[in-house]
Amino acid sequence: MTARQGIVLLAEDNEGDAFLTRECFKKAGHPIVLHHVTDGEECLAFLRKEGTYATAPTPDLILLDINMPKMNGHQVMDRVLADQRLCHLTVVVLTTSSNEDDINQMLCRRCNSYVVKPMDLDDFQKAINGLCDYWFCLPGLVPPPR
């Protein structure tokens, strides 16, 4: 099975988690270009190609943390859904919250998947490997338009 290069936008305010995610993508061995933003406002600016993000690529996959400053993941999802230019994008919530209300709210907002960040490094690597395999290697999976 041949992987195609994927563009991933990681919306994560914790620099340690962002570093770990970046390293796990490298170890996963899939051709991924990872972009990183640190809050919800920056995430929307990237997606809307505003300001310093005017030439930003359209991501194939958005990894969205719930607990971010300025605008949390719930608010980002609301705005993504309300924007006809963005509502087709693939959003996977990647967060530490296993709160049932958070899960249900994000699923009601039509996130494509909800992944609770594993605390164990090996399990985190397996989660990233699984995301890569599912979103970038499945035969017949059609990527969103860029």
Side-chain angles (χ1 to χ4, degrees):
M1 185 176 337
T2 304
R4 64 175 186 76
Q5 184 176 42
I7 297 174
V8 176
L9 175 60
L10 174 64
E12 170 63 64
D13 64 312
N14 182 300
E15 289 298 329
D17 285 352
F19 176 80
L20 178 62
T21 303
R22 189 176 299 110
E23 291 304 306
C24 285
F25 269 109
K26 287 178 187 175
K27 288 181 183 177
H30 293 278
I32 300 294
V33 176
L34 183 68
H35 297 270
H36 175 226
V37 294
T38 59
D39 63 59
E41 288 180 359
E42 195 178 359
C43 180
L44 286 174
F46 186 101
L47 296 174
R48 292 175 175 158
K49 302 176 187 303
E50 297 172 341
T52 59
Y53 298 110
T55 60
T58 300
D60 298 305
L61 178 65
I62 302 163
L63 296 178
L64 181 64
D65 188 22
I66 288 180
N67 301 307
M68 294 184 294
K70 298 185 183 178
M71 183 182 294
N72 66 35
H74 296 285
Q75 294 166 317
V76 171
M77 275 301 296
D78 287 341
R79 283 164 181 84
V80 166
L81 284 176
D83 189 327
Q84 288 189 345
R85 298 169 299 159
L86 306 177
C87 64
H88 70 280
L89 297 173
T90 301
V91 179
V92 172
V93 175
L94 181 64
T95 187
T96 56
S97 175
S98 59
N99 179 290
E100 192 172 322
D101 286 339
D102 280 335
I103 296 168
N104 289 332
Q105 287 177 31
M106 291 308 274
L107 292 174
C108 286
R109 286 178 168 96
R110 298 188 327 206
C111 72
N112 296 88
S113 187
Y114 191 104
V115 178
V116 177
K117 292 177 192 173
M119 293 295 118
D120 178 79
L121 180 59
D122 290 335
D123 289 340
F124 194 86
Q125 182 67 59
K126 288 176 189 173
I128 296 299
N129 291 350
L131 286 171
C132 288
D133 289 345
Y134 184 80
W135 292 107
F136 299 111
C137 292
L138 279 180
L141 187 64
V142 178
R146 289 192 181 163

